[in-house]
Amino acid sequence: MNKRIISLAVTGVLLGSVSHVQAAGFQLAEYSATGQGRSFAGEAAMADNASTQARNPAMLTYLPGTSFSAGGIYVMPNVDVTGDISIASALFGAQAMTLNADAIDVADNALVPNFYFSSQINDSWTWGMAVNSNYGLTTELPVDHAAAIFGSETSVTTVEFNPNIAYKINQAFSVGAGLRIVYGEGSIGASAPGWIDGLKTHPMLPAEFAAALPAGGTSLKSMEGDDIAMGWKLGASWQINPAHRLGFAYHSGVELELEGSASGLLYTGGQDVDIEGNLPLELPAFAELASYHQLSDNWAMHASVNWTQWSVFDELVAYFPGEVKPAGGLESDLVKEENFKDNWRFALGSTYQLNNAWLLRTGIAYDNTAVDDEYRTMTIPDSDRLWLSAGAGYQASENLTVDFAVTYIKAYGDAPINESMNLMNLAQVSFDGEAVGDVWLVGMQLSYKL
């Protein structure tokens, strides 16, 4: 069994990232720079190149011969969580201590690559292979940051492998199916904030409590590990007439089981021990209904409605089946209540054939949050998002197409965050703030027909 460490206090950080201003919850949308140019509008009904199978495997039947497509989207987030930490305790009087806890630029830039291959078997059957990422993140705070107790470091990378097959029933209808094989690895951590050092020297704090508090920057709980799980997807398309088409796709949920060991001062007591643990985590199912409309020889419109079953993400519970238990002999532990809700995304896009060499794209989308204000946390500061995109496709040769795209994503509306935790029955630590930010995406895609 691979070595994995499960963080019990801050596992939620594993799920919050750059992606909270790209797609709801911890989901990534960046599967292709081709679709990015229209804000991923109409994707389940599009067949630009082999990347179409990422959204709807049935669209493979629209691709003649053999082709591949590869590219990447460079994500440049500007994500800030601003607010204050308050420390309330009867030992320190009626007035709570307040400290600034702004976390500026908590998410790093990242490249989201992709690769797709398709091959027509005969007039009815086409198969393909997709390699992309649907989940990914990186966030980091200094280990002694005022809010580090709520989560200080996270890095998660996922890769999804999709073998797909499609069948053309007749000139109007096609169906497709695929297997979702999801591999993920990551690290996570929480640490003691620097203000604990000041708290330990407070004259009103009893010596026994001061001795029990860790030094600022001490690792409290951490995680690193990997896992693999499987799911499936189905798709269908309806060519209403030569100018209008509908597409529908459904991707099943994927149930991960993070297995490994829990560690950190609060669970090991500073001893060199391993605590076996596992954490079930269900990645939600999602679906898309899309349309394509060729309105003139040069101009087409596209639209999508996307749904994600975030309501399955209601809580995180860790289990400890091994002989060595955490402090208190716990068999299981409620890590965090999330109380997510299903969310919807709406997108409208357009393409215009400028000439034989250039195709122009543009799109707008609204992606609503998967969490109500009362349940939003620092670890997953999800908010509504507004997408604005533009792109172009260049026909470099008879077989080679190069696509470019740029997107601006703005967190839309208020996203208040209110969290609190009990510090050793000594003080109540609370964070009161909000999540703000925006993201720039720059993408490029190369598609070649063999």
Side-chain angles (χ1 to χ4, degrees):
M1 180 180 68
N2 290 331
K3 178 85 170 183
R4 303 181 181 103
I5 306 170
I6 297 174
S7 165
L8 304 178
V10 294
T11 303
V13 181
L14 174 61
L15 313 175
S17 69
V18 177
S19 63
H20 75 259
V21 287
Q22 296 172 55
F26 51 96
Q27 188 177 33
L28 292 174
E30 294 78 10
Y31 81 97
S32 163
T34 307
Q36 179 197 339
R38 51 180 175 260
S39 290
F40 301 107
E43 296 309 288
M46 301 297 296
D48 301 286
N49 50 52
S51 69
T52 184
Q53 61 191 296
R55 288 294 182 91
N56 185 355
M59 298 308 298
L60 283 168
T61 62
Y62 286 79
L63 302 177
T66 298
S67 63
F68 71 86
S69 182
I73 298 176
Y74 192 63
V75 183
M76 296 170 285
N78 176 28
V79 182
D80 302 332
V81 178
T82 60
D84 295 320
I85 289 284
S86 66
I87 308 165
S89 174
L91 293 173
F92 310 140
Q95 186 68 35
M97 292 186 291
T98 302
L99 303 169
N100 179 269
D102 290 351
I104 306 301
D105 197 18
V106 300
D108 294 335
N109 296 351
L111 177 66
V112 183
N114 62 75
F115 176 82
Y116 306 95
F117 174 84
S118 70
S119 182
Q120 185 180 25
I121 301 172
N122 54 42
D123 290 343
S124 298
W125 291 93
T126 305
W127 75 278
M129 172 65 72
V131 183
N132 60 7
S133 178
N134 283 302
Y135 308 92
L137 63 95
T138 174
T139 59
E140 187 173 5
L141 294 176
V143 294
D144 59 350
H145 188 274
I149 197 169
F150 291 104
S152 58
E153 179 268 333
T154 298
S155 176
V156 172
T157 301
T158 66
V159 180
E160 183 163 335
F161 302 87
N162 295 146
N164 299 293
I165 189 74
Y167 178 71
K168 186 175 183 179
I169 300 173
N170 53 41
Q171 294 301 314
F173 296 100
S174 295
V175 294
L179 185 65
R180 302 185 66 192
I181 305 171
V182 181
Y183 170 81
E185 63 180 17
S187 62
I188 190 171
S191 54
W195 50 258
I196 284 186
D197 292 333
L199 197 65
K200 294 172 66 174
T201 62
H202 197 286
M204 298 301 295
L205 183 66
E208 61 270 23
F209 283 100
L213 289 172
T218 299
S219 176
L220 299 177
K221 299 174 182 180
S222 64
M223 167 192 168
E224 60 182 9
D226 57 12
D227 193 21
I228 190 168
M230 300 176 67
W232 50 271
K233 62 182 180 180
L234 298 174
S237 69
W238 176 26
Q239 191 72 48
I240 302 170
N241 57 45
H244 301 279
R245 182 167 61 239
L246 295 178
F248 176 79
Y250 177 85
H251 298 234
S252 77
V254 176
E255 297 183 2
L256 296 172
E257 186 85 14
L258 299 178
E259 297 182 352
S261 60
S263 69
L265 180 63
L266 297 184
Y267 277 83
T268 67
Q271 302 299 310
D272 185 17
V273 296
D274 287 327
I275 303 171
E276 183 182 350
N278 65 74
L279 181 72
L281 175 63
E282 182 175 356
L283 305 179
F286 56 95
E288 178 180 0
L289 177 63
S291 65
Y292 167 88
H293 309 280
Q294 191 71 46
L295 302 179
S296 70
D297 290 342
N298 295 340
W299 182 41
M301 294 290 294
H302 329 280
S304 285
V305 177
N306 299 77
W307 165 85
T308 303
Q309 193 183 14
W310 279 115
S311 57
V312 301
F313 187 55
D314 56 349
E315 63 180 16
L316 293 168
V317 179
Y319 299 90
F320 311 103
E323 295 183 1
V324 180
K325 306 294 183 183
L330 294 177
E331 294 286 343
S332 64
D333 185 66
L334 176 61
V335 177
K336 182 175 286 188
E337 293 186 9
E338 298 293 351
N339 296 305
F340 269 35
K341 61 182 180 180
D342 294 354
N343 94 296
W344 295 85
R345 184 183 191 271
F346 307 92
L348 182 66
S350 177
T351 57
Y352 183 78
Q353 189 73 52
L354 185 63
N355 52 45
N356 290 335
W358 287 97
L359 178 70
L360 306 181
R361 301 182 179 94
T362 187
I364 185 171
Y366 178 76
D367 195 1
N368 78 324
T369 181
V371 63
D372 291 325
D373 288 349
E374 62 183 301
Y375 299 120
R376 185 177 293 106
T377 66
M378 285 192 68
T379 54
I380 313 181
D382 196 48
S383 64
D384 295 335
R385 289 152 300 280
L386 180 66
W387 291 58
L388 300 171
S389 300
Y394 176 64
Q395 192 72 44
S397 70
E398 181 180 355
N399 296 328
L400 176 64
T401 302
V402 184
D403 295 312
F404 309 92
V406 60
T407 298
Y408 177 71
I409 308 172
K410 177 65 176 177
Y412 182 78
D414 296 330
I417 301 174
N418 297 282
E419 281 198 275
S420 64
M421 64 182 300
N422 185 285
L423 180 63
M424 298 175 57
N425 293 321
L426 174 66
Q428 190 70 20
V429 181
S430 302
F431 176 83
D432 183 14
E434 64 175 342
V436 296
D438 54 25
V439 175
W440 283 96
L441 310 176
V442 178
M444 181 177 179
Q445 198 81 16
L446 299 176
S447 301
Y448 191 82
K449 299 177 182 178
L450 299 178

